[in-house]
Amino acid sequence: MSSPTRSGGPGAADLSPGLERKIGPLQATAINMTQMCGIGPFVTIPAMVATMGGPQAMFGWIIGAVIALADGLVWAELGAALPGAGGTYVYLREAFQYRTGRMMPFLFAWSAVLFIPLIMSTGIIGLVQYLGYLVPGVTGAGGTTPLGKVIGIAIVLVIVLALFRRIGQIGKLTTGLFVIMLFAVLTVIIAAFSHFSGAQAFDFTPGAFGSGGAFWGGLGAGLVIAIYDYLGYNTSAYLGGEVRDPGRTLPRSIIFSILGIMSLYFLLQVGVLGSIPLDELKNATSVASSVLEQAWGTAAAKVITVFIVIAAVGSVFAGLLGGSRVPFEAARDKVFLPVFAHLHPRLNLPTAGVLTMGVITAIGSLFTLTDVINAAVTVLVLIQSLAQVAAIWVLRRRRPGLKRPYRQWLYPVPTVIALVGWVYIFISATWLSIILCVVWIALGLVAFGIYAAAEKTWPFGPKDIREAPASADPVTTEGA
C-alpha cells in the first residue's frame, strides 16, 4: 500500500496512485448530472405533491436546490484542495486525524458502503415502476411483483458488468447516457407544456403558506424527497483521483450540475402540475408516461419511457462508479478490509468495491421506495454532510496554507446554510430511519474499537497523522 505523503513531499502530484486521470470537465459534469437525474424526479413528483399538499411543492424543489448548492460549495472547496479517490473519505481523514485519529474516515467508509448502494437501489425500484408501463406483470396493485424484483436484480447485474472497463471508456459511455437522460427529461417537459394550464399549475392550496399551512407542514418530509433527487452532484468528487485538472474541473462540475438539474426539475415539476389533475397526480406511479400519453398518445409514450428507463440505468451506473472508490481509498489506508484495496490488473478499477456495492444495491431494490430513501438520506446526512461542514471549518483553521484552487464563495455563509438545511432534513426523516441510522453508527463505533485495538492506533495507541498532498492542481482560482 502506498501511504499518503506529507504536504509537499514525494508523490504530491497525485493522491491516488494507480488510478488514471482520464475524466475531463464535460465528462465530470455529465457523470454528476446523469447520477442526479435518473429516475428520481419521475417517481417522486407525486410523493412530493402529496407530502406538501398541492402545487406549492414546486417551492420545495427550490429550497432543496439552495441547500444542495450551499453543500455543493463545500464539496467544491474540499474536492479541489484534496482531489483523491473516495471524496469525503479523504476530507474527513485530513480534517479529523488530529483529534480522533482514523475514527471519522472509518465511520464514513463503514456508512458509505451502505448508503451509496441504497440510494442506487431507489433507481432500480423506480426503473421497475416505469417498466410496468411497458411490460405487463412487472408491477401490480401492491407495487412491484416478484417478476419485477427479479428483473431489477438482473438489471443491477448488467450495470455491474458494464462497469468493468477502463475509466476512459466509462467516461465516454456516461456522456452518452447523459445525452439520453437530457433527451428524456426535455421531451417530458415539452410534452407537459404542450397542454399546459397555468391556472391548474399555480392553484395553490388555500392558506398553504400561512402559519400551520400545508406548505410548512409538509416541508420537512418534502425536503427529504427533494434532496434525494438532487443527490449525485458530488459523484465527480468521489472520482477525484481520476479527474484531469481537478482544481478546476471538480468545482465547475459540481456547481454547473446543480444549477442545470435545478432548472430541469423546476420546469418538470411545473409542467407536470399544469398538465395532470392534482388528484390523479398524487396517485400516479409512472407520471412521465401519463404526461406523454396524454400529449402524444400511447405509442410515443412507450418510446420515450424506454429512454427514461435507460436514463435510470445511467444514474445507477454513475452512482456505483463513484461510490466504489470510497472503500478502495479506505482500504489503501488500511482502514478497511484489504481486499478493497486491489485494482483490477488490466482495467485499473476497484473490483471488490464495484461487486460489493452491486450486491447491496440488488438487496435494497427489494424494499419500498420511501423506506429506502429515508434510510439512505439519514445515514448520509449524519456521517457525510454534517461531517463535511465541520471538516471545511477544521481545515481552514488547521491548514491555512493548504493550496485551495477554489475557495468557497462568501465563506462561511454557504456552510451555515448547508448546516441548517441538513439538520432540518435529518430531524424531518421518519423515526424508524433515524433510529436505524443511530444503530448503524453505533455498530460502526464498535467495529472501529475492534479495529483500533488490533492496529494499536487511537484510542489504543498513537495517532498516525499524515497530511495529504496540498493539491494536484498548481493553478489557483477564486471562482468556479
Side-chain angles (χ1 to χ4, degrees), residues 463-479:
K463 300 169 189 168
D464 183 18
I465 298 177
R466 301 189 180 197
E467 294 182 347
S471 178
D473 182 356
V475 180
T476 300
T477 59
E478 291 297 322

Side-chain angles (χ1 to χ4, degrees), residues 211-236:
S211 178
F215 175 79
W216 301 109
L219 180 60
L223 282 179
V224 173
I225 297 171
I227 206 66
Y228 154 75
D229 283 328
Y230 282 113
L231 291 177
Y233 52 84
N234 50 13
T235 305
S236 59

Side-chain angles (χ1 to χ4, degrees), residues 95-109:
F96 297 110
Q97 61 182 333
Y98 305 99
R99 287 188 178 275
T100 57
R102 299 181 178 184
M103 185 182 75
M104 286 302 293
F106 178 93
L107 288 178
F108 173 72

Side-chain angles (χ1 to χ4, degrees), residues 72 93 201 253:
R93 180 187 68 196
S253 68

Side-chain angles (χ1 to χ4, degrees), residues 169-473:
Q169 295 174 314
I170 287 177
K172 294 176 183 177
L173 178 58
T174 306
T175 302
L177 290 170
F178 166 69
V179 172
I180 292 173
M181 177 276 293
L182 198 59
F183 171 75
V185 176
L186 290 175
T187 302
V188 176
I189 291 172
I190 292 169
F193 279 97
S194 68
H195 56 283
F196 178 76
S197 168
Q200 178 178 299
F202 298 99
D203 185 20
F204 303 126
T205 305
F209 300 102
S211 178
F215 175 79
W216 301 109
L219 180 60
L223 282 179
V224 173
I225 297 171
I227 206 66
Y228 154 75
D229 283 328
Y230 282 113
L231 291 177
Y233 52 84
N234 50 13
T235 305
S236 59
Y238 284 138
L239 298 165
E242 295 157 277
V243 172
R244 296 197 308 267
D245 193 13
R248 292 181 179 273
T249 298
L250 289 178
R252 285 165 171 76
S253 68
I254 292 168
I255 295 168
F256 292 163
S257 61
I258 294 172
L259 294 176
I261 291 297
M262 175 186 70
S263 303
L264 290 175
Y265 280 2
F266 187 75
L267 289 173
L268 183 63
Q269 171 81 84
V270 173
V272 169
L273 284 167
S275 60
I276 296 182
L278 189 60
D279 291 338
E280 181 182 336
L281 175 58
K282 289 180 179 179
N283 300 309
T285 56
S286 51
V287 64
S289 300
S290 299
V291 169
L292 292 161
E293 183 175 326
Q294 184 173 319
W296 299 324
T298 303
K302 288 187 175 181
V303 171
I304 304 303
T305 299
V306 171
F307 284 95
I308 292 173
V309 170
I310 295 174
V313 170
S315 175
V316 178
F317 179 90
L320 291 179
L321 169 68
S324 63
R325 273 58 178 173
V326 174
F328 163 73
E329 185 69 16
R332 288 199 317 120
D333 264 358
K334 295 185 178 179
V335 181
F336 215 62
L337 298 175
V339 66
F340 287 94
H342 301 307
L343 291 174
H344 190 284
R346 182 171 56 86
L347 303 177
N348 284 337
L349 61 86
T351 307
V354 171
L355 294 176
T356 301
M357 290 198 169
V359 170
I360 298 174
T361 298
I363 295 171
S365 70
L366 302 176
F367 296 90
T368 66
L369 182 67
T370 303
D371 289 342
V372 177
I373 288 176
N374 274 271
V377 169
T378 49
V379 177
L380 174 147
V381 168
L382 197 60
I383 203 63
Q384 180 180 67
S385 304
L386 293 178
Q388 281 195 174
V389 168
I392 196 172
W393 285 333
V394 170
L395 288 170
R396 284 262 186 155
R397 186 181 76 254
R398 280 195 175 270
R399 297 187 65 183
L402 178 67
K403 292 181 182 178
R404 292 173 170 84
Y406 166 79
R407 296 180 69 87
Q408 187 185 95
W409 298 330
L410 302 177
Y411 177 85
V413 175
T415 57
V416 174
I417 293 173
L419 174 65
V420 173
W422 287 122
V423 169
Y424 183 61
I425 288 169
F426 182 80
I427 64 176
S428 298
T430 63
W431 275 109
L432 177 61
S433 62
I434 292 174
I435 291 171
L436 291 175
C437 169
V438 173
V439 169
W440 182 256
I441 299 301
L443 290 174
L445 288 171
V446 172
F448 174 73
I450 296 171
Y451 155 80
E455 292 290 322
K456 294 182 172 54
T457 187
W458 185 92
F460 301 107
K463 300 169 189 168
D464 183 18
I465 298 177
R466 301 189 180 197
E467 294 182 347
S471 178
D473 182 356

